[in-house]
């Protein structure tokens, strides 16, 4: 990785703090802060990184969360995993072009409603269309699998 913590803080912070200010705000020694700022972020303890980011008013999510895909980019990513020639979506083979298109179009619609399709979504559609598994059964499986917890 080789991205230094100092670079991450400079990139994401709205204001510049001295090493002494960071140490004081993070409740860490100056030597710990100095050492952490010079190191690659992946070679620094998670606790120190977290404290220094918070001391710099930087949320951890803004540093580690991948940028959200736009629906158009999500659709392109999804379409790259579809093959009309093989009638496959994310590696799952459908028996008819109608089932392929129905699943593909339904998932594309869901992308523009804010969903991010997974292979499990394709498998659910496959089970409904190809194996005639009722929607209620699929929901019961999900509830059982996740224990009804949110």
């Amino acid at each position: 990785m080789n991205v230094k913590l100092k670079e991450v803080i400079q990139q994401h912070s709205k204001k510049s703090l001295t090493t002494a200010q960071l140490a004081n705000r993070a409740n860490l020694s100056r030597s710990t802060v100095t050492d952490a700022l010079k190191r690659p972020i992946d070679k620094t303890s998670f606790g120190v990184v977290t404290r220094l980011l918070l001391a710099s008013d930087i949320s951890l999510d803004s540093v580690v969360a991948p940028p959200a895909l736009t629906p158009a980019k999500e659709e392109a990513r999804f379409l790259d995993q579809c093959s009309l020639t093989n009638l496959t979506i994310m590696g799952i083979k459908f028996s008819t072009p109608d089932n392929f298109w129905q699943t593909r179009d339904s998932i594309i619609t869901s992308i523009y409603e804010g969903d991010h399709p997974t292979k499990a979504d394709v498998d659910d559609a496959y089970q409904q269309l190809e194996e005639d598994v009722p929607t209620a059964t699929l929901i019961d499986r999900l509830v059982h699998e996740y224990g009804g917890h949110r």
Side-chain angles (χ1 to χ4, degrees), residues 3 11 46 57 74 100 103:
V3 176
Q11 179 183 4
F46 182 75
D57 296 323
E74 184 78 42
F100 170 85
T103 301

Side-chain angles (χ1 to χ4, degrees), residues 24-150:
N24 186 40
R25 290 178 98 184
N27 198 23
L28 294 168
S29 71
R30 280 181 77 174
S31 61
T32 298
V33 173
T34 300
D35 182 53
L37 292 174
K38 292 179 185 175
R39 297 167 142 229
I41 196 167
D42 62 340
K43 303 287 186 211
T44 305
S45 85
F46 182 75
V48 169
V49 170
T50 303
R51 289 168 76 172
L52 289 174
L53 290 176
L54 291 174
S56 302
D57 296 323
I58 301 169
S59 74
L60 188 58
D61 287 344
S62 70
V63 175
V64 296
L69 292 177
T70 64
K73 287 181 180 178
E74 184 78 42
E75 178 183 4
R77 185 189 68 80
F78 173 71
L79 290 174
D80 283 343
Q81 299 175 74
C82 297
S83 169
L84 178 57
T85 306
N86 299 323
L87 297 179
T88 59
I89 301 173
M90 294 183 168
I92 297 173
K93 184 164 178 59
F94 290 83
S95 63
T96 68
D98 285 344
N99 287 352
F100 170 85
W101 285 109
Q102 185 176 346
T103 301
R104 181 186 168 277
D105 292 347
S106 174
I107 290 176
I108 288 174
T109 298
S110 75
I111 288 170
Y112 286 91
E113 293 171 350
D115 290 337
H116 303 281
T118 65
K119 190 170 184 174
D121 297 326
V122 178
D123 189 51
D124 288 346
Y126 174 87
Q127 289 181 41
Q128 285 180 296
L129 295 171
E130 301 279 339
E131 297 175 356
D132 297 318
V133 175
T135 303
T137 302
L138 294 173
I139 292 171
D140 287 344
R141 286 181 193 167
L142 286 172
V143 170
H144 179 72
E145 181 178 337
Y146 293 102
H149 302 297
R150 288 188 161 252

